[in-house]
Structure formats: structure tokens, C-alpha cells
Amino acid sequence: MTAGTGTSRRSALKYLGAGGVAASALLTACTSVQEGQNGQNGGRSGPFPGTPQWRFVFVNHVTTNSFFVPTRTGLADAAALLGVPEPQWTGSENGNVAQMASAMETAITGKADGIAVALTDDNAFVDLTKRALGQGIPVIAYNANAAGNYPLTYVGQDLYLSGFRMGQRIAQKVTSGDILVGISQPGGNNVQPRLDGITDALKQAAPGVRVQSVNTGAEQAGELNAMTAAYTGNTAAKGIYAVDAGSTAACAKLIADRGLTGKIGGGGFDLLDDTVTGVKAGALDFTIDQSPYLQGFLSVLYLYLFRLSGTLVAPPVTDTGLTFVTKENVGPYATAKSRFEGGDNKDVIAMPGSIPLPPASVLSR
């Protein structure tokens, strides 16, 4: 934020709403940020000193996919809050790993001040990550992580666990027969662990269920066609599910269009409009919210603090969540149109009168 814009702490709170995790603690620090000399924030900003206009780059695998709208909102919010330029959003539109690697190479060559990358491939980004770190450029993985790589941390959902929990949920409704599971990028680190988790959970909880994976492709426009073709070839399937946003939206539309609501199991991931509509109408039994906003917001916050502290504030591994959205709790998702979930509503969203108990946990001592 810059002086002279008339942005007050009150208006900033309204802009950020209730969901900016960790953001409210930084508002005081950012209300007096001013542009100074040499491209630095002026003087002091709350507890923070002036900093250069650090330039962060996000490398993504599906840059135009609707799922990442709240991620881009989150990264822009964090940058505005901290007084740095909005990070560059680059990579590939259709999951092309070579294009992503090229974008990361460009960021390193251009001496970016920090890189957040979706590590959808185990091998393509290893040397690039080493090079970046060797040149003093911090690298964070978001949305997808890779074994054997060297990011400072991972910000995103525990993908295998989310699939395993989904498989357990499927087993509550489907105990035998075939289910179709759409996957946009088979083998990709962003979605394959979920499919693996589903398969493993069903082997334990419902061994009579057979998983038929459906390659729906990385482009949203073709995912409904792929799911429709798979169901046309197997109308005896007991459930239609998916492990990515676009394929899940396709499942919802397919079930509704074919009059299968209430007759067949359905579910998946994320909160595209067709998905939320499908949950509300009963076409989908559930979808899973992984807080994509936080994947952008926290990645910027972590890169900023790592640079600000000269590596002393090491970014923590952050699981951005596993929330089952069902007909019982879909209401706010369907009506709020929250910018935290891809909508355009910038107002503070009213809290419910009562907060449901979260799952019980045991803290280690």
C-alpha cells in the first residue's frame, strides 16, 4: 500500500475480509508504507524496515485454470499488504512441464527475489531449484510438491491424505462395483497422489470397489467430454468422482444432465461454480476445499519474511486444509461469492452464530 491512496486500516480490513490468515497481524505494519528512494519502501512500516521492491515469481502448470483465481487473489493481497509489487504469474496453460521449466529458468536468469513453483514433476525442477538457491533466490513449492527436490517448504494440501480421506468417504456409499475417477494429469504430482490415496483407502474399506481412472486432460474445456465418454462406456458405474477442479465440475454437470442425482455417488475437489451448484442440488455428495487463497497469500508472506530476516525466519511446511463441503455446509460457498473462493465479493462475510466442532486432535507434549 502506498501513502496518498486513502487506504485506511478500516478499509483494508474490509478489503481483506475475515479469511486472511496471518494478514490481520500485519495490517498495522502496512498502513504507513510509502514509496522511498532507490525503489525501497519509505522509512519504517510498523515493525518492518524499508525494503527493496522485491520481485517474486509464481510458476504454475495451468495458468488460466479457474481453480487458481483465488490463489492469484491471495498473492496479490499479500503483496499489497507488504508493499511489494504483485508477483508475476507465469508457466504453462496446459501442464507442459518444459514450458514451466523455461519460465523458472527465466525467473532465475532475471534475478527474481523469490520463486514459488508448483512441482508437478519429480525431475524437471531439481537442478533449477538448486541453481536458484545457489544464487540466493529462495524457492517455495505450492499446490504440488516433489520428492527429491529442495524447496524451502511446501504450501498446499496433503494430497495423498486428501485422496485417502476421500476414498474412505466413497466407501460409506459405494461398497462394490466400478467407479469412474477423473484425473486431469495422470502421473502429475498435483493430482496423482490423490488418486493413489483413493485407491489405497478403498482397498482397505471397500475391496469390492474397482477404480476406473479417466484421463480428462489439463484443459477445462475437454474434461466434460472425457467424463461423458467414460460414463457412456460404463453406465453400470456406481459412482462418478474426480481428483481435480475441472474434472469435478464436469462430474457435477454429467450427473445432473443425465438425471443421475441421488442414484449414483459423486464427489471430488475444489469449488468451481458447477461443483458448488452440484453439491447444493445433491448431484455431488461432497467436494473438498483446499483453501487455494492461502496457497498464494502464504507463499508471498513466507518469501517476504525469509528475505527480510536474512533466512532466519524459515518458512514452515503448511497444509492448507481438507474441508469436506456437503449439502449441510455448502450454503456460504453458494451465496457469499467470496473472493477467497474465486468470487468478487470484497465485503466482510458474516460469521455463523455457532462454529461446528472441528475434528478432535491430540497435541504432542
Side-chain angles (χ1 to χ4, degrees):
M1 300 176 190
T2 57
T5 62
T7 302
S8 66
R9 187 174 190 276
R10 178 178 296 176
S11 62
L13 278 168
K14 180 178 181 181
Y15 178 72
L16 286 169
V21 174
S24 60
L26 294 173
L27 279 172
T28 301
C30 297
T31 52
S32 62
V33 174
Q34 301 179 33
E35 292 299 323
Q37 296 179 349
N38 301 321
Q40 294 198 358
N41 297 337
R44 296 175 58 83
S45 175
F48 297 144
T51 67
Q53 292 287 282
W54 286 326
R55 186 171 56 86
F56 301 141
V57 177
F58 276 67
V59 179
N60 189 261
H61 49 294
V62 280
T63 53
T64 59
N65 192 287
S66 302
F67 167 80
F68 284 105
V69 169
T71 304
R72 297 186 68 177
T73 299
L75 66 87
D77 282 356
L81 191 68
L82 298 166
V84 297
E86 181 175 328
Q88 181 184 2
W89 182 256
T90 185
S92 173
E93 291 186 6
N94 56 6
N96 187 304
V97 173
Q99 292 175 353
M100 294 175 66
S102 177
M104 188 170 178
E105 172 90 34
T106 299
I108 296 169
T109 303
K111 302 186 184 304
D113 295 298
I115 297 171
V117 55
L119 294 177
T120 56
D121 184 88
D122 281 340
N123 303 309
F125 308 103
V126 176
D127 288 341
L128 289 167
T129 300
K130 288 180 179 179
R131 279 179 51 199
L133 294 175
Q135 294 179 30
I137 303 172
V139 177
I140 283 177
Y142 76 100
N143 189 255
N145 204 3
N149 207 321
Y150 302 90
L152 298 172
T153 195
Y154 169 62
V155 180
Q157 189 176 65
D158 184 327
L159 299 171
Y160 176 83
L161 177 63
S162 68
F164 194 89
R165 294 283 185 254
M166 179 172 167
Q168 292 177 320
R169 191 116 183 174
I170 292 171
Q172 295 174 10
K173 183 163 187 174
V174 182
T175 57
S176 64
D178 294 342
I179 62 169
L180 309 178
V181 181
I183 178 170
S184 59
Q185 294 174 271
N189 290 339
N190 55 318
V191 284
Q192 186 65 45
R194 289 174 175 162
L195 182 58
D196 295 341
I198 290 171
T199 302
D200 289 348
L202 289 173
K203 286 179 181 177
Q204 295 181 19
V209 175
R210 296 179 296 274
V211 176
Q212 178 185 334
S213 64
V214 181
N215 183 351
T216 58
E219 296 184 9
Q220 283 181 267
E223 289 174 307
L224 177 58
N225 290 337
M227 291 305 301
T228 300
Y231 178 70
T232 300
N234 188 357
T235 55
K238 300 293 184 64
I240 301 175
Y241 301 92
V243 294
D244 62 273
S247 299
T248 300
C251 291
K253 195 166 187 338
L254 173 60
I255 290 171
D257 289 351
R258 292 295 182 98
L260 299 172
T261 299
K263 302 175 184 178
I264 195 169
F269 284 84
D270 306 320
L271 298 158
L272 300 189
D273 287 345
D274 283 343
T275 298
V276 172
T277 298
V279 172
K280 185 178 180 181
L284 299 181
D285 302 314
F286 63 85
T287 191
I288 296 173
D289 180 8
Q290 60 172 308
S291 296
Y293 178 92
L294 291 181
Q295 295 177 20
F297 188 96
L298 292 179
S299 294
V300 171
L301 179 63
Y302 290 168
L303 288 170
Y304 176 89
L305 291 175
F306 189 75
R307 291 206 69 96
L308 186 71
S309 69
T311 77
L312 297 179
V313 179
V317 174
T318 304
D319 184 346
T320 57
L322 169 56
T323 301
F324 279 95
V325 179
T326 66
K327 201 167 186 177
E328 287 69 37
N329 66 348
V330 73
Y333 292 94
T335 60
K337 304 300 180 185
S338 164
R339 60 197 307 280
F340 302 112
E341 300 293 353
D344 57 6
N345 181 7
K346 296 180 180 180
D347 292 331
V348 174
I349 299 169
M351 287 287 290
S354 175
I355 301 173
L357 285 174
S361 62
V362 178
L363 299 178
S364 58
R365 298 179 183 273

